[in-house]
Amino acid sequence: MTVEHILIAVPARDEEATLAECLRSIEAARRAIEVPSSVVVVLDSCTDASADIVRGFDGVLAIDRDHGNVGRSRHDAVLTGLAAVEAAPSCTWIAFTDADSSVPRHWLREHLRAARAGDAYVGAVVPRLADLDEARRQAWQLTHPPGATLGHVHGANLGLRAAAYLRVGGFLPLYVGEDVDLVSRLRAARAAIVESEHHPVTTSSRLVGRAPRGYAAYLEGLTT
Protein backbone atom coordinates (compact mmCIF):
# COMPACT_ATOMS: atom_id res chain seq x y z
CA MET A 1 0.00 0.00 0.00
CA THR A 2 1.21 3.51 -0.80
CA VAL A 3 2.93 5.53 1.92
CA GLU A 4 1.64 9.09 1.95
CA HIS A 5 3.47 10.27 5.07
CA ILE A 6 6.41 9.18 7.22
CA LEU A 7 6.39 10.00 10.92
CA ILE A 8 9.85 9.91 12.50
CA ALA A 9 9.78 9.37 16.26
CA VAL A 10 12.81 10.06 18.45
CA PRO A 11 12.97 9.66 22.25
CA ALA A 12 15.65 11.72 23.98
CA ARG A 13 16.83 11.76 27.56
CA ASP A 14 19.76 14.10 28.23
CA GLU A 15 21.32 13.58 24.80
CA GLU A 16 22.76 17.05 24.18
CA ALA A 17 26.07 15.54 23.03
CA THR A 18 24.52 13.61 20.13
CA LEU A 19 21.06 15.06 19.45
CA ALA A 20 22.13 17.68 16.91
CA GLU A 21 24.01 15.11 14.84
CA CYS A 22 20.98 12.82 15.01
CA LEU A 23 18.62 15.52 13.77
CA ARG A 24 21.01 16.63 11.01
CA SER A 25 21.20 13.04 9.76
CA ILE A 26 17.40 12.81 9.79
CA GLU A 27 17.20 16.06 7.80
CA ALA A 28 19.48 14.56 5.14
CA ALA A 29 17.40 11.37 5.00
CA ARG A 30 14.20 13.39 4.62
CA ARG A 31 15.70 15.36 1.72
CA ALA A 32 16.53 12.09 -0.05
CA ILE A 33 12.86 11.10 -0.44
CA GLU A 34 9.81 12.74 -1.99
CA VAL A 35 7.25 11.45 0.51
CA PRO A 36 6.16 14.09 3.06
CA SER A 37 7.54 13.50 6.55
CA SER A 38 7.44 14.89 10.07
CA VAL A 39 9.62 14.53 13.17
CA VAL A 40 8.57 14.30 16.81
CA VAL A 41 11.20 14.37 19.55
CA VAL A 42 10.12 13.40 23.05
CA LEU A 43 12.23 15.19 25.67
CA ASP A 44 11.85 12.71 28.50
CA SER A 45 13.05 13.95 31.90
CA CYS A 46 15.76 16.06 30.23
CA THR A 47 17.86 18.27 32.48
CA ASP A 48 20.44 19.31 29.86
CA ALA A 49 20.31 21.48 26.73
CA SER A 50 18.41 18.98 24.58
CA ALA A 51 15.38 21.28 24.31
CA ASP A 52 17.53 24.17 23.07
CA ILE A 53 19.07 21.92 20.45
CA VAL A 54 15.69 20.81 19.10
CA ARG A 55 14.56 24.44 18.83
CA GLY A 56 17.39 25.00 16.36
CA PHE A 57 15.79 22.66 13.83
CA ASP A 58 12.85 23.83 11.74
CA GLY A 59 9.94 21.48 11.34
CA VAL A 60 10.78 19.33 14.36
CA LEU A 61 8.10 19.06 17.01
CA ALA A 62 9.35 18.63 20.58
CA ILE A 63 7.15 17.47 23.44
CA ASP A 64 8.16 17.42 27.09
CA ARG A 65 7.46 14.41 29.26
CA ASP A 66 8.60 13.21 32.67
CA HIS A 67 8.25 9.48 32.13
CA GLY A 68 11.78 8.21 32.54
CA ASN A 69 10.46 5.37 30.41
CA VAL A 70 11.41 4.78 26.79
CA GLY A 71 8.32 2.72 25.96
CA ARG A 72 5.99 5.51 27.05
CA SER A 73 8.12 8.11 25.28
CA ARG A 74 8.05 6.27 21.97
CA HIS A 75 4.29 5.77 22.29
CA ASP A 76 3.69 9.45 23.08
CA ALA A 77 5.75 10.43 20.03
CA VAL A 78 3.53 8.27 17.85
CA LEU A 79 0.24 9.53 19.28
CA THR A 80 1.33 13.17 19.02
CA GLY A 81 2.65 12.73 15.51
CA LEU A 82 -0.38 10.85 14.21
CA ALA A 83 -2.72 13.52 15.56
CA ALA A 84 -1.08 16.01 13.21
CA VAL A 85 -0.94 13.75 10.14
CA GLU A 86 -3.74 13.94 7.58
CA ALA A 87 -2.92 10.61 5.94
CA ALA A 88 -4.81 7.52 7.11
CA PRO A 89 -2.95 5.09 9.42
CA SER A 90 -2.88 2.56 6.58
CA CYS A 91 -0.93 5.09 4.48
CA THR A 92 1.33 6.40 7.28
CA TRP A 93 4.69 4.82 8.06
CA ILE A 94 6.41 5.30 11.43
CA ALA A 95 10.22 5.24 11.52
CA PHE A 96 11.94 5.04 14.89
CA THR A 97 15.46 5.98 15.83
CA ASP A 98 17.24 7.18 18.97
CA ALA A 99 18.75 10.52 19.93
CA ASP A 100 22.19 8.96 20.42
CA SER A 101 22.16 7.60 16.87
CA SER A 102 22.87 8.82 13.35
CA VAL A 103 20.88 7.57 10.37
CA PRO A 104 22.37 7.13 6.87
CA ARG A 105 21.19 9.28 3.97
CA HIS A 106 19.14 6.45 2.42
CA TRP A 107 17.62 5.35 5.72
CA LEU A 108 14.09 6.43 4.84
CA ARG A 109 14.41 5.02 1.33
CA GLU A 110 15.11 1.66 2.94
CA HIS A 111 12.03 2.04 5.13
CA LEU A 112 9.92 2.86 2.07
CA ARG A 113 11.28 -0.21 0.30
CA ALA A 114 10.22 -2.29 3.30
CA ALA A 115 6.78 -0.65 3.32
CA ARG A 116 6.20 -1.88 -0.23
CA ALA A 117 6.84 -5.45 0.91
CA GLY A 118 5.46 -5.68 4.43
CA ASP A 119 3.87 -4.20 7.52
CA ALA A 120 7.02 -3.61 9.55
CA TYR A 121 10.77 -3.23 9.19
CA VAL A 122 13.58 -4.46 11.46
CA GLY A 123 16.81 -2.75 10.45
CA ALA A 124 20.42 -3.09 11.49
CA VAL A 125 22.30 -1.04 14.07
CA VAL A 126 26.06 -0.73 14.41
CA PRO A 127 28.06 0.98 17.16
CA ARG A 128 30.56 3.75 16.49
CA LEU A 129 33.46 1.33 16.26
CA ALA A 130 36.10 4.05 16.47
CA ASP A 131 34.80 4.94 19.93
CA LEU A 132 35.18 1.41 21.29
CA ASP A 133 38.36 0.22 22.92
CA GLU A 134 40.46 -2.15 20.83
CA ALA A 135 39.34 -5.32 22.63
CA ARG A 136 35.63 -4.59 22.24
CA ARG A 137 36.06 -3.40 18.66
CA GLN A 138 37.72 -6.68 17.72
CA ALA A 139 35.12 -8.68 19.63
CA TRP A 140 32.29 -6.90 17.83
CA GLN A 141 33.85 -7.43 14.41
CA LEU A 142 34.48 -11.13 15.08
CA THR A 143 30.91 -11.74 16.21
CA HIS A 144 29.23 -9.72 13.44
CA PRO A 145 29.96 -11.23 10.02
CA PRO A 146 27.45 -10.43 7.23
CA GLY A 147 23.99 -11.56 8.30
CA ALA A 148 24.74 -11.58 12.02
CA THR A 149 22.45 -8.65 12.80
CA LEU A 150 19.41 -10.07 11.01
CA GLY A 151 16.65 -10.86 13.46
CA HIS A 152 18.01 -8.53 16.15
CA VAL A 153 15.49 -5.82 17.03
CA HIS A 154 16.65 -2.29 17.80
CA GLY A 155 14.44 0.71 18.47
CA ALA A 156 17.10 2.84 16.79
CA ASN A 157 16.16 1.34 13.41
CA LEU A 158 12.61 0.11 13.47
CA GLY A 159 9.61 0.94 11.32
CA LEU A 160 6.02 -0.08 10.74
CA ARG A 161 2.78 1.04 9.23
CA ALA A 162 0.70 3.09 11.66
CA ALA A 163 -2.28 0.79 11.15
CA ALA A 164 -0.20 -2.19 12.29
CA TYR A 165 1.12 -0.22 15.27
CA LEU A 166 -2.37 0.66 16.44
CA ARG A 167 -3.69 -2.83 15.76
CA VAL A 168 -1.27 -4.46 18.24
CA GLY A 169 -1.54 -1.70 20.84
CA GLY A 170 1.75 0.09 20.20
CA PHE A 171 4.67 0.29 22.60
CA LEU A 172 4.02 -0.81 26.15
CA PRO A 173 5.40 1.25 29.08
CA LEU A 174 8.56 -0.83 29.40
CA TYR A 175 11.88 0.55 30.65
CA VAL A 176 13.83 -1.80 28.39
CA GLY A 177 12.97 -4.29 25.65
CA GLU A 178 9.99 -2.27 24.44
CA ASP A 179 11.17 -2.72 20.84
CA VAL A 180 11.55 -6.50 21.12
CA ASP A 181 8.15 -6.75 22.79
CA LEU A 182 6.45 -4.78 20.01
CA VAL A 183 7.95 -6.91 17.25
CA SER A 184 6.98 -10.06 19.16
CA ARG A 185 3.36 -8.93 19.19
CA LEU A 186 3.55 -8.04 15.51
CA ARG A 187 4.79 -11.54 14.74
CA ALA A 188 2.01 -13.04 16.84
CA ALA A 189 -0.46 -10.97 14.81
CA ARG A 190 1.08 -12.42 11.63
CA ALA A 191 2.32 -9.06 10.40
CA ALA A 192 4.67 -9.24 7.41
CA ILE A 193 8.08 -8.15 8.73
CA VAL A 194 10.98 -7.18 6.47
CA GLU A 195 14.51 -7.52 7.86
CA SER A 196 17.60 -5.96 6.32
CA GLU A 197 21.21 -5.07 7.03
CA HIS A 198 21.28 -2.39 4.33
CA HIS A 199 21.81 1.22 5.44
CA PRO A 200 22.37 0.49 9.15
CA VAL A 201 21.96 3.16 11.80
CA THR A 202 25.09 4.09 13.72
CA THR A 203 24.56 4.36 17.44
CA SER A 204 26.50 5.36 20.54
CA SER A 205 29.32 3.15 21.76
CA ARG A 206 28.93 4.20 25.39
CA LEU A 207 29.15 1.42 27.93
CA VAL A 208 26.75 2.96 30.45
CA GLY A 209 23.35 3.59 28.93
CA ARG A 210 20.03 5.17 29.83
CA ALA A 211 18.23 1.83 30.13
CA PRO A 212 19.38 -1.19 32.13
CA ARG A 213 20.26 -4.22 30.03
CA GLY A 214 20.16 -2.10 26.88
CA TYR A 215 22.64 -1.78 24.02
CA ALA A 216 25.29 -0.19 26.23
CA ALA A 217 25.20 -3.20 28.54
CA TYR A 218 25.58 -5.46 25.52
CA LEU A 219 28.68 -3.56 24.36
CA GLU A 220 30.13 -3.54 27.88
CA GLY A 221 29.80 -7.32 28.02
CA LEU A 222 31.49 -8.03 24.70
CA THR A 223 34.78 -8.92 26.39
CA THR A 224 33.39 -10.94 29.30
Side-chain angles (χ1 to χ4, degrees):
M1 187 174 293
T2 302
V3 173
E4 298 176 2
H5 190 94
I6 298 179
L7 167 61
I8 302 156
V10 185
R13 186 175 185 184
D14 288 343
E15 298 290 2
E16 63 181 4
T18 56
L19 183 54
E21 179 184 354
C22 173
L23 294 177
R24 283 193 295 267
S25 73
I26 289 173
E27 281 186 336
R30 294 174 73 188
R31 289 194 296 268
I33 63 171
E34 296 181 357
V35 176
S37 60
S38 56
V39 184
V40 177
V41 175
V42 177
L43 300 168
D44 185 6
S45 307
C46 289
T47 60
D48 64 356
S50 292
D52 295 330
I53 291 169
V54 176
R55 281 194 287 268
F57 288 84
D58 293 333
V60 176
L61 174 62
I63 58 175
D64 289 298
R65 294 292 186 268
D66 193 25
H67 296 323
N69 182 296
V70 67
R72 292 184 67 184
S73 292
R74 291 195 198 277
H75 188 60
D76 280 4
V78 172
L79 296 183
T80 299
L82 290 182
V85 172
E86 294 183 359
S90 60
C91 298
T92 301
W93 186 265
I94 310 167
F96 295 96
T97 193
D98 290 338
D100 67 342
S101 302
S102 177
V103 306
R105 184 171 182 269
H106 294 305
W107 179 60
L108 292 177
R109 283 191 181 183
E110 184 69 3
H111 276 254
L112 287 172
R113 183 192 68 80
R116 291 192 292 270
D119 305 305
Y121 172 70
V122 174
V125 169
V126 297
R128 291 183 175 87
L129 293 176
D131 293 342
L132 285 174
D133 59 79
E134 182 64 22
R136 286 186 173 83
R137 183 163 56 249
Q138 290 185 3
W140 193 91
Q141 291 171 329
L142 285 172
T143 56
H144 288 78
T149 64
L150 290 175
H152 293 270
V153 179
H154 300 279
N157 194 6
L158 183 64
L160 72 165
R161 204 170 290 274
Y165 181 88
L166 296 172
R167 186 166 62 249
V168 301
F171 281 110
L172 299 184
L174 303 176
Y175 288 94
V176 68
E178 80 294 340
D179 42 9
V180 175
D181 171 77
L182 176 62
V183 173
S184 177
R185 284 182 282 121
L186 287 167
R187 294 189 192 282
R190 300 186 181 278
I193 298 176
V194 177
E195 298 178 4
S196 173
E197 290 189 310
H198 296 302
H199 309 296
V201 167
T202 301
T203 196
S204 170
S205 292
R206 63 191 176 200
L207 304 182
V208 179
R210 301 291 184 262
R213 305 184 306 282
Y215 197 66
Y218 165 72
L219 292 176
E220 198 280 332
L222 277 173
T223 55
T224 60

